[in-house]
Amino acid sequence: MLRDDVGDEIRLHLELRTEQLIREGLPAGEARREAERRFGPLDLATRALEQSADRRERDMHAHEWIDELTQDARYVLRTLKRQPAFAAFVIGTLALGIGANAAMFGVVDRLLLRGPEHVIGADRVRRVFATNKAPGIGEFTTSTMGYVSYLGLRNNAKSFERVAAYTTNENTIGRAEASQKVPVGWASADFFPLLGVSPLLGRFYTTDEDRTTGADHVAVLGHGLWRRRFAGDRAVLGKTIAVGDETYTIIGVAPEAFTGVDLKPVDLWLPLSITSARVVNDFTKSWNAQWLQVIVRLKPGATDEQATADASAARRRFYDGQDKDDADTRLFVASVMATHEGRASTESAVARWLLGVSVVVLLIACSNVANLLLARAVRRRREVAVRLALGAGRGRLVRLLLMESMVLAIGGDALGLLVAQWTGQAMRVVLLPKIEWASSPVGMRVLAVSAAIALATGVLIGLVPALQASSPSLTAALKAGTREGGEQRSWLRGMLTVAQAALSVVLLIGAGLFVRSLWNVRNLDLGFQPDRVLTVAIDWQGLGKFPEGDARDRERTRRREFYLRALDSIRALHGVEFASLAVGTPLQSSFSLDLRVPGWDSIPKMKGGGPYISAVTSGYFASVGTTLKQGRAFTKTDRAGSERVAIVSESMAAALWPKRDPLGQCLIIGGDTVPCARVVGVVSDAHRFKIREAPAMHYYIPFGQESGFGGTAMLVRPRGELSAMIEPLRQAMRALDPALAYIDVGSLQDSIDPQVRPWKLGATVFAIFGVLALAVAAIGLYSVISYIVAQRTHEIGVRIALGARSSVIVRLIVTQGVGSALAGVAIGITLALLGGRFIETLLFDTSARDVPVFVTVAVVLMLVATIASLIPAWRARRVNPVEALRAE
């Protein structure tokens, strides 16, 4: 029709123009062509006019659609304004779910997705790992390797744009009273270009400055140290900073939150070669010294498989056969983002699970809100029927009801971002407590994800209720009063109630398993008591490297005598119960020496490694809380120059002298020419490195009888609080030598806490989310039961009028709520049993099918469901039958 009208209109104008041109004297043919040049051919002009008309029609429909959406939004806002309690409850419930997901996404994004701060193209940066075999231990994987491996990969591998090496540790900066220990990174000059990071101020050091001889000592400050020690002074470039016994010139400041590729803070960056030369003799050729991490950037198009094959082939080319144990070493590459020994770190694995937990909380919140909307839709059946009878389309009604759920979801998202801001900061403190963050917990990526979650949530909670409410039976709905509409039962509402209970059970079981794991970790017998022991370590300024020859022996003697005087001073302090010296302390340092045992051609290997050696004074075992199992401990007479004696661990005694008395046995320590050390005691096994480790061979000799290893620490066991003794210990050491560079006093527990953090995090967040889920499910159950009671008032009134006792009414209501909870418990326990195998590797000495945890959760949920059902049931028993029968 439109095409015909448009064609007729254009044809008329074309004919009129042709006639006008003929009257002006043009021949008919020419006049026709001239008219067509002005208007165009008839079909093209018709098509252009049609397209213009179509655009006007689309614009009109768009404006109408926008007007309808605006009207729907205004109507929804007016409706919710009349029901503030309902709106507040729904928005608050959604805010908890959306906020928890946004907060957890922010943490997981930093750990697993976005990569390290300020690193460009982190998806192409890889860490190099080595797989090797050792007698008695089997195959193992490590990320530490020597400088020689770094050079070999840099010069031989073809799949890498750049190769860099680095290591991190603590070192002392400043002098005397102004000294402090900070985390320091030693990195090769190609480290920063490989990562693509730019300095905040100044520059990074170059290859010419990363060499052992003739190079200036330069340093790059970490952003945190720059702010703390130099107050963010932009004129810091060119100033000097004392590091250990050397002085470095500051040439740059790293950007905020830059920590390289690890999640550990770094306050100072120094050239690697200078430090390597001080740590290892001939470090560019030594295969035994392995203390570096090596990272690479893949060339465009290179895959991990190609890079792994290339790295292993390159190693075969540059390996010189110096160490036969390294002959079969294989190299491979893996992501730098939260990996440990080529696998996902415990923190990243727990973070993944916690993200899943937050999604479950959101699903519970959505189930709760959807249930309320379904119940509310029943009450609105008459309103919807009237609209349909007056000619409203079903699509318009669905859109109106969806608009309501979207408005609620947007409100939940806005409030959820406030929740994410607070909980995101808390998550950062718990998961990565020492890391600077360059952005707010609610950054652009989190905003985008929370908006997507809100959109999906709005559709999820609103679509089914909207479809159900928009298709009532008109006749029944228009006739129906409150009584008829209220008595309708919904299988979907029942399923949602069961789903809430089931998901709550899953979360609570997860919380219980992690709490049980944390309890097991806290009560693990480590062979010593880290929470009761302080360590005192000295950084000897100006003596980072021993002199050679006789001067070396004199310096070692001087330090030993100082430690012995310091030990006497510490033991005399009020509040000190025990104190001792040790070279080789649990969780901090371990050493090995050549050991021969008569009757053994070679020392048997144990899975935990060893044999490790420690040199300790009398009182050591009492200081750290290690139990003496047999024989005696060291006394004051066991010292340098006295009879050579030793104490062995239980595992070492059992391995070397099975079914024999270890006391009196001989250990030849440090070479065949050394006199025999007689075993005088056996002590319990003590963990050396980790809370998860197999028993290892370990033996102890008197302090002063050791040679060839250092790193003395004082161990103090106070009578009272550990914190009260920290400053008195520092003062006692300063009184002996005011020139000491730095005195580090800390608890052995500090070395344990980072290993405990994953279980602590899992227990804390699972418990919080589990309790939150339980509360939301309980409130949801209470709301649904209360609504059902309100809608069944007429039925209850009839029952009471016919003589039903109060107990029958209560039982009728409670049975419905408890039945839903019971079904949820059964489904939740089944889901937990099926999914337990995926989480079992994150648990500590705890089965994923721990019966007490399952039973406790089931009892708690049933108790909460009973209480949530009893409250509305108690109101139902007091219904006035006269008023109920009269009400419509």
Side-chain angles (χ1 to χ4, degrees), residues 641-674:
S642 67
E643 179 193 8
R644 297 179 68 86
V645 293
I647 295 173
V648 299
S649 66
E650 283 185 288
S651 293
M652 185 170 181
L656 294 178
W657 306 288
K659 301 180 181 178
R660 291 164 53 188
D661 187 358
L663 299 182
Q665 300 292 338
C666 172
L667 296 178
I668 301 174
I669 305 167
D672 292 340
T673 61
V674 179

Coordinates of all heavy atoms in Angstrom, one line a residue, residues 641-674:
G641 N 85.9 -27.7 72.2 CA 87.0 -28.3 72.9 C 86.7 -29.4 73.8 O 87.6 -30.2 74.2
S642 N 85.4 -29.6 74.1 CA 85.0 -30.7 74.9 C 84.8 -32.0 74.1 O 84.9 -32.0 72.9 CB 83.7 -30.4 75.7 OG 82.6 -30.2 74.8
E643 N 84.4 -33.1 74.7 CA 84.1 -34.3 74.0 C 83.1 -34.1 72.9 O 82.1 -33.4 73.2 CB 83.7 -35.4 75.0 CG 83.3 -36.7 74.3 CD 82.6 -37.7 75.2 OE1 82.1 -37.3 76.3 OE2 82.3 -38.8 74.7
R644 N 83.3 -34.7 71.8 CA 82.3 -34.5 70.7 C 81.1 -35.4 70.9 O 81.3 -36.7 71.0 CB 83.0 -34.9 69.3 CG 84.1 -33.9 69.0 CD 84.8 -34.3 67.7 NE 83.9 -34.0 66.5 CZ 83.7 -32.9 65.9 NH1 84.4 -31.8 66.3 NH2 82.9 -32.8 64.9
V645 N 80.0 -34.8 71.0 CA 78.7 -35.6 71.3 C 77.7 -35.1 70.3 O 77.8 -34.1 69.7 CB 78.3 -35.4 72.8 CG1 79.2 -36.0 73.7 CG2 78.1 -33.9 73.1
A646 N 76.6 -35.9 70.2 CA 75.5 -35.5 69.3 C 74.2 -36.0 69.9 O 74.1 -37.0 70.7 CB 75.8 -36.1 67.9
I647 N 73.1 -35.4 69.4 CA 71.7 -35.8 69.8 C 71.0 -36.0 68.4 O 71.2 -35.1 67.5 CB 71.0 -34.8 70.6 CG1 71.7 -34.7 72.0 CG2 69.6 -35.1 70.8 CD1 71.2 -33.6 72.9
V648 N 70.3 -37.1 68.3 CA 69.6 -37.4 67.0 C 68.1 -37.4 67.1 O 67.6 -37.5 68.2 CB 70.1 -38.8 66.4 CG1 71.6 -38.8 66.2 CG2 69.7 -39.9 67.4
S649 N 67.5 -37.2 66.0 CA 66.0 -37.2 66.0 C 65.5 -38.7 66.0 O 66.3 -39.6 65.7 CB 65.4 -36.5 64.8 OG 65.8 -37.2 63.6
E650 N 64.3 -38.9 66.4 CA 63.7 -40.2 66.4 C 63.8 -40.9 65.1 O 64.1 -42.1 65.0 CB 62.2 -40.1 66.9 CG 62.0 -39.9 68.3 CD 60.5 -40.0 68.7 OE1 59.8 -39.0 68.3 OE2 60.1 -41.0 69.3
S651 N 63.4 -40.2 64.0 CA 63.5 -40.8 62.7 C 64.9 -41.2 62.3 O 65.1 -42.3 61.7 CB 62.9 -39.9 61.6 OG 61.5 -39.7 61.9
M652 N 65.8 -40.4 62.6 CA 67.2 -40.7 62.3 C 67.7 -41.9 63.1 O 68.4 -42.8 62.6 CB 68.1 -39.5 62.6 CG 69.6 -39.7 62.2 SD 70.5 -38.2 62.3 CE 72.1 -38.7 61.7
A653 N 67.3 -42.0 64.4 CA 67.7 -43.1 65.2 C 67.1 -44.4 64.7 O 67.7 -45.5 64.6 CB 67.3 -42.9 66.6
A654 N 65.8 -44.4 64.3 CA 65.1 -45.6 63.8 C 65.7 -46.0 62.4 O 65.8 -47.2 62.1 CB 63.6 -45.3 63.6
A655 N 66.1 -45.0 61.6 CA 66.7 -45.4 60.3 C 68.1 -46.0 60.4 O 68.4 -46.9 59.6 CB 66.7 -44.2 59.4
L656 N 68.9 -45.4 61.3 CA 70.3 -45.8 61.3 C 70.5 -47.1 62.2 O 71.4 -47.9 61.9 CB 71.2 -44.7 61.8 CG 71.3 -43.5 60.9 CD1 72.1 -42.4 61.5 CD2 71.8 -43.9 59.5
W657 N 69.8 -47.1 63.3 CA 70.0 -48.2 64.3 C 68.7 -48.9 64.6 O 68.2 -48.9 65.8 CB 70.7 -47.7 65.5 CG 71.9 -46.9 65.2 CD1 73.1 -47.4 64.8 CD2 72.1 -45.5 65.3 NE1 74.0 -46.4 64.6 CE2 73.4 -45.2 64.9 CE3 71.3 -44.4 65.6 CZ2 74.0 -43.9 64.9 CZ3 71.8 -43.1 65.6 CH2 73.1 -42.9 65.2
P658 N 68.0 -49.5 63.6 CA 66.8 -50.2 63.9 C 67.0 -51.4 64.9 O 67.9 -52.1 64.8 CB 66.3 -50.7 62.5 CG 67.6 -50.8 61.8 CD 68.5 -49.7 62.2
K659 N 66.1 -51.4 65.9 CA 66.1 -52.5 66.9 C 67.4 -52.4 67.7 O 67.8 -53.4 68.4 CB 65.9 -53.8 66.3 CG 64.6 -54.0 65.5 CD 64.5 -55.4 64.9 CE 63.2 -55.5 64.2 NZ 63.0 -56.8 63.5
R660 N 68.1 -51.3 67.7 CA 69.3 -51.2 68.6 C 69.2 -49.9 69.3 O 68.5 -48.9 69.0 CB 70.6 -51.1 67.7 CG 70.9 -52.5 67.0 CD 71.9 -52.3 65.9 NE 73.1 -51.6 66.2 CZ 74.0 -51.3 65.4 NH1 73.9 -51.5 64.1 NH2 75.1 -50.6 65.8
D661 N 70.0 -49.8 70.4 CA 70.0 -48.6 71.3 C 70.9 -47.6 70.6 O 72.1 -47.8 70.4 CB 70.5 -49.0 72.7 CG 70.4 -47.8 73.6 OD1 70.0 -46.7 73.2 OD2 70.8 -48.0 74.8
P662 N 70.3 -46.4 70.3 CA 71.2 -45.4 69.6 C 72.2 -44.7 70.5 O 73.2 -44.2 70.0 CB 70.1 -44.4 69.1 CG 69.0 -44.5 70.0 CD 68.9 -46.0 70.4
L663 N 71.9 -44.8 71.8 CA 72.9 -44.1 72.7 C 74.2 -44.8 72.7 O 74.4 -46.0 72.7 CB 72.3 -44.2 74.2 CG 71.0 -43.5 74.4 CD1 70.6 -43.5 75.8 CD2 71.0 -42.0 73.9
G664 N 75.2 -44.0 72.6 CA 76.6 -44.5 72.5 C 77.1 -44.7 71.1 O 78.3 -45.0 70.9
Q665 N 76.2 -44.6 70.1 CA 76.6 -44.9 68.7 C 77.5 -43.7 68.2 O 77.5 -42.6 68.8 CB 75.4 -45.0 67.8 CG 74.5 -46.2 68.2 CD 75.1 -47.5 68.0 OE1 76.0 -47.7 67.2 NE2 74.6 -48.6 68.7
C666 N 78.1 -44.0 67.1 CA 79.1 -43.0 66.6 C 78.7 -42.3 65.3 O 78.1 -43.0 64.4 CB 80.4 -43.8 66.3 SG 81.7 -42.8 65.4
L667 N 78.9 -41.0 65.2 CA 78.7 -40.2 64.0 C 80.0 -39.5 63.7 O 80.6 -38.9 64.5 CB 77.6 -39.2 64.3 CG 76.2 -39.6 64.6 CD1 75.3 -38.4 64.8 CD2 75.6 -40.5 63.5
I668 N 80.4 -39.7 62.4 CA 81.6 -39.1 62.0 C 81.2 -37.9 61.1 O 80.7 -38.1 60.0 CB 82.5 -40.0 61.2 CG1 82.9 -41.2 62.1 CG2 83.8 -39.3 60.7 CD1 83.6 -42.3 61.3
I669 N 81.3 -36.7 61.6 CA 80.8 -35.5 61.0 C 81.8 -34.6 60.4 O 82.8 -34.2 61.1 CB 80.0 -34.7 62.1 CG1 79.0 -35.5 62.8 CG2 79.3 -33.4 61.5 CD1 78.4 -34.9 64.1
G670 N 81.8 -34.3 59.1 CA 82.6 -33.4 58.5 C 83.9 -34.0 57.8 O 84.7 -33.2 57.4
G671 N 84.0 -35.3 57.8 CA 85.2 -35.9 57.2 C 85.8 -37.0 58.0 O 85.6 -37.1 59.2
D672 N 86.5 -37.9 57.4 CA 87.0 -39.1 58.0 C 88.0 -38.9 59.1 O 88.3 -39.7 60.0 CB 87.6 -40.1 57.0 CG 86.5 -40.7 56.1 OD1 85.3 -40.6 56.5 OD2 86.8 -41.2 55.0
T673 N 88.7 -37.7 59.0 CA 89.8 -37.4 60.0 C 89.2 -36.8 61.3 O 90.0 -36.6 62.2 CB 90.8 -36.4 59.3 OG1 90.1 -35.2 59.0 CG2 91.4 -37.0 58.1
V674 N 87.9 -36.6 61.3 CA 87.3 -35.9 62.5 C 87.0 -37.0 63.5 O 86.5 -38.1 63.1 CB 86.0 -35.2 62.1 CG1 85.4 -34.6 63.3 CG2 86.4 -34.1 61.1

